Amino acid sequence: MQYPVNEIFETIQGEGHFTGVPAVFLRLQGCPVGCAWCDTRHTWEVDSKDEVTQDAVIGAGDGEPRWAGWDLDTLVAHLTGPQYRARHLVITGGEPCLYDLRPLTERMHAAGWRCQIETSGCFEVLTHPDTWVTVSPKIGMKGGLEVQRSALERADEIKHPVAMQKHIDELDALLEGVDLSGKTVALQPISQQHRANELCVRVCIERNWRLSIQTHKYLNID
């Protein structure tokens, strides 16, 4: 099993259910979804010309499309090494569910870690049963991919980016018939827009949903 890794770094989880929790982020390369507001466009392509050594992807990245192939044993040994204090692993991207994450998450859970996946929901979620799955459903994106019903059903958390009422309406249509009991539903204003903030606060109060603020952007941390 090989994973194309864009970066590995330790920080604080800045959004969603685990906001404020120390975490190691594992960012995988590759994503065909094509979100217009994506802030990690450098992770979209897995191009052989951008392949680098493993050492080059350790530490917070600089927005370059570099990636390194990591085999399962080497990746687990690095993540569970003494250089990291956190015991919460966030697997993100790119689109991490392009890859079978069961071998990695099984090993990490066995090592005493909690795992979280951040995904668009456009691919089947292959992970350990105890992994926390955060689906940020990407609807009508340039890549033309549909959000999978199986991903919504597997989700522990549905965190939806919102700029206008249309995005609330799209989420309502997407979630029709999905059992939300036991799931966290959070609205996340896009780009700290005042209009989006007001809309999300109002709807969260009306529905008893959660507001997700990208605190790492306010704090200017990775």
Side-chain angles (χ1 to χ4, degrees):
M1 177 62 68
Q2 287 269 341
Y3 295 103
V5 176
N6 173 267
E7 58 181 341
I8 304 172
F9 61 97
E10 188 171 34
T11 186
I12 297 293
Q13 171 62 285
E15 59 190 49
H17 183 84
F18 292 104
T19 295
V21 172
V24 176
F25 275 70
L26 172 65
R27 189 179 304 284
L28 300 180
Q29 190 79 5
C31 183
V33 178
C35 298
W37 58 80
C38 180
D39 56 5
T40 56
R41 289 172 180 258
H42 60 283
T43 65
W44 287 8
E45 302 295 332
V46 184
D47 194 319
S48 59
K49 70 177 176 57
D50 297 321
E51 187 172 6
V52 296
T53 65
Q54 293 176 350
D55 286 345
V57 301
I58 298 173
D62 54 7
E64 294 295 323
R66 66 171 65 95
W67 62 274
W70 288 68
D71 66 81
L72 179 62
D73 288 343
T74 304
L75 183 56
V76 170
H78 175 75
L79 292 171
T80 57
Q83 64 271 30
Y84 301 123
R85 299 294 299 275
R87 290 296 179 266
H88 181 81
L89 177 66
V90 180
I91 308 173
T92 186
E95 172 46 72
C97 290
L98 286 173
Y99 310 101
D100 185 347
L101 299 173
R102 288 172 295 190
L104 174 58
T105 53
E106 286 167 5
R107 293 276 295 273
M108 294 303 292
H109 281 289
W113 284 57
R114 177 175 55 207
C115 295
Q116 176 187 4
I117 295 172
E118 296 183 339
T119 175
S120 66
C122 295
F123 296 88
E124 184 180 3
V125 181
L126 301 175
T127 191
H128 186 280
D130 292 338
T131 300
W132 181 275
V133 176
T134 300
V135 173
S136 292
K138 302 303 188 292
I139 306 167
M141 296 296 112
K142 187 171 71 172
L145 300 170
E146 294 186 0
V147 177
Q148 301 296 306
R149 180 66 172 244
S150 64
L152 295 172
E153 292 173 345
R154 174 60 182 84
D156 297 285
E157 174 183 17
I158 297 170
K159 177 167 59 69
H160 192 53
V162 172
M164 60 190 73
Q165 181 63 43
K166 180 183 78 168
H167 298 136
I168 304 291
D169 298 339
E170 289 174 341
L171 180 63
D172 286 340
L174 186 70
L175 295 182
E176 185 174 356
V178 176
D179 183 5
L180 298 179
S181 58
K183 298 184 188 299
T184 297
V185 180
L187 301 182
Q188 184 163 288
I190 294 175
S191 302
Q192 297 83 50
Q193 299 173 11
H194 180 69
R195 181 179 64 171
N197 290 343
E198 288 189 333
L199 173 61
C200 289
V201 167
R202 176 175 59 79
V203 174
C204 285
I205 291 173
E206 289 173 354
R207 304 187 183 190
N208 200 29
W209 285 356
R210 182 176 295 192
L211 183 70
S212 173
I213 299 297
Q214 293 179 295
T215 57
H216 54 292
K217 293 187 177 180
Y218 286 97
L219 296 172
N220 195 30
I221 61 174
D222 292 313

